[in-house]
Amino acid sequence: MKNLKENQGQNKAQITVSKIVRSFLVLSILSVASSTFGQTKEVEFDVYTNSPTNASQYLLGDDVAMRDCASVNCEKLTTLNIGTNVRLLAKSETAQTINGITSRFYKIKMGPQVGWIWGGLISQKTMVSQNNPEIKFVFGEAGVDYKGYKRFQIRAVKNGAEIDRIFVKSETLHHDLVHLMQKTDSTAVADVIGICENNSENCDVSTSKTFIVFKGNKLMQTNSLAALEHVRGDASDYVLSCEFDN
């Protein structure tokens, strides 16, 4: 009887240790996953005191709140349209993460008002259409999707209103990889945006070639070279690394 009780006690102890080990492993896995998906590089911009030229930027978001201090809890002074040009005068001491995007608040002046806007709503790369200089393409982060994957966005804007948008899902995309391909024929009716450096070895490449084409007021994904008939560029200019969802 004594041996039976001892065996039962040992079995319970082994089960308890096993549960503790499993729990520890689960917590470790969750911790690693949280660290992997939770790490976001800050979206940063130069301010006027550092670089007067680079301190002039365009807004990526629509109805961007301009607040009386550097926090989402501060009073909203006004809202600004997408594509509005702003001069960044200063930035807050700390960054805030909103919808998976980490950035600071930036101080601006619009007319007589001075206020703060969040950097996640500022375009990281702005390009002017080669067919219509009134149209601009603004690029920046778009947070994470329901699976935790990082997304970026390109929006076509005109006169303070969005024409169309497209999303890019990528963990490696950077605004330096985004460029408007130069056309050589004045009859070309499409703008083509590349999302890869001229040296494709620097990209997270896949075997399929993809292009973002703006034509007929629509941003479209295509794998067809026919869309580039009047646009100069070689294979290294093409989008090679990103998955898209409209």
Side-chain angles (χ1 to χ4, degrees):
M1 181 64 69
K2 183 177 181 181
N3 289 336
L4 178 60
K5 288 183 179 180
E6 289 178 351
N7 290 335
Q8 289 176 340
Q10 290 175 355
N11 290 337
K12 287 182 180 180
Q14 290 175 351
I15 292 172
T16 301
V17 171
S18 177
K19 286 182 178 179
I20 292 173
V21 171
R22 285 201 301 269
S23 298
F24 177 77
L25 289 174
V26 170
L27 289 174
S28 299
I29 293 171
L30 289 175
S31 176
V32 171
S34 176
S35 175
T36 300
F37 287 106
Q39 292 176 351
T40 58
K41 187 175 181 180
E42 181 180 335
V43 175
E44 290 187 276
F45 300 92
D46 287 326
V47 296
Y48 187 77
T49 53
N50 295 334
S51 175
T53 301
N54 293 337
S56 179
Q57 300 290 347
Y58 293 86
L59 294 186
L60 172 69
D62 202 9
D63 295 329
V64 175
M66 177 176 168
R67 301 182 183 275
D68 65 354
C69 61
S71 170
V72 293
N73 298 318
C74 296
E75 181 182 350
K76 184 188 298 183
L77 301 175
T78 186
T79 56
L80 306 175
N81 292 333
I82 189 171
T84 299
N85 181 245
V86 295
R87 178 178 290 182
L88 309 179
L89 304 176
K91 60 183 176 181
S92 60
E93 293 183 359
T94 59
Q96 296 185 31
T97 300
I98 303 173
N99 296 330
I101 305 171
T102 301
S103 188
R104 300 172 191 249
F105 274 79
Y106 288 83
K107 186 179 182 179
I108 65 169
K109 182 177 181 181
M110 296 298 293
Q113 289 186 313
V114 176
W116 297 80
I117 60 174
W118 182 58
L121 298 175
I122 300 174
S123 173
Q124 294 175 259
K125 183 69 171 283
T126 302
M127 301 156 284
V128 179
S129 168
Q130 298 180 71
N131 293 301
N132 184 349
E134 293 185 342
I135 296 176
K136 293 181 176 63
F137 305 108
V138 289
F139 167 86
E141 295 194 15
V144 295
D145 64 13
Y146 69 98
K147 291 184 178 180
Y149 293 108
K150 192 172 183 178
R151 298 198 309 166
F152 296 82
Q153 58 185 315
I154 296 175
R155 298 187 178 195
V157 300
K158 179 181 178 182
N159 298 330
E162 178 183 289
I163 301 173
D164 196 23
R165 75 175 75 174
I166 194 169
F167 292 97
V168 179
K169 184 167 61 178
S170 172
E171 294 296 323
T172 59
L173 188 55
H174 188 268
H175 61 83
D176 286 339
L177 305 179
V178 179
H179 62 282
L180 191 64
M181 296 175 63
Q182 183 180 355
K183 67 178 183 178
T184 57
D185 190 332
S186 60
T187 63
V189 295
D191 288 291
V192 180
I193 299 172
I195 308 185
C196 190
E197 289 182 325
N198 291 332
N199 179 5
S200 61
E201 293 180 357
N202 293 334
C203 297
D204 178 20
V205 299
S206 65
T207 56
S208 62
K209 296 181 176 68
T210 307
F211 315 90
I212 298 176
V213 178
F214 181 72
K215 184 176 182 180
N217 287 339
K218 293 292 295 181
L219 286 164
M220 299 170 286
Q221 170 206 353
T222 177
N223 296 325
S224 172
L225 295 179
L228 304 179
E229 182 178 355
H230 299 297
V231 179
R232 186 178 66 192
D234 54 36
S236 62
D237 288 319
Y238 304 153
V239 177
L240 300 174
S241 61
C242 304
E243 299 175 64
F244 291 76
D245 29 42
N246 279 312

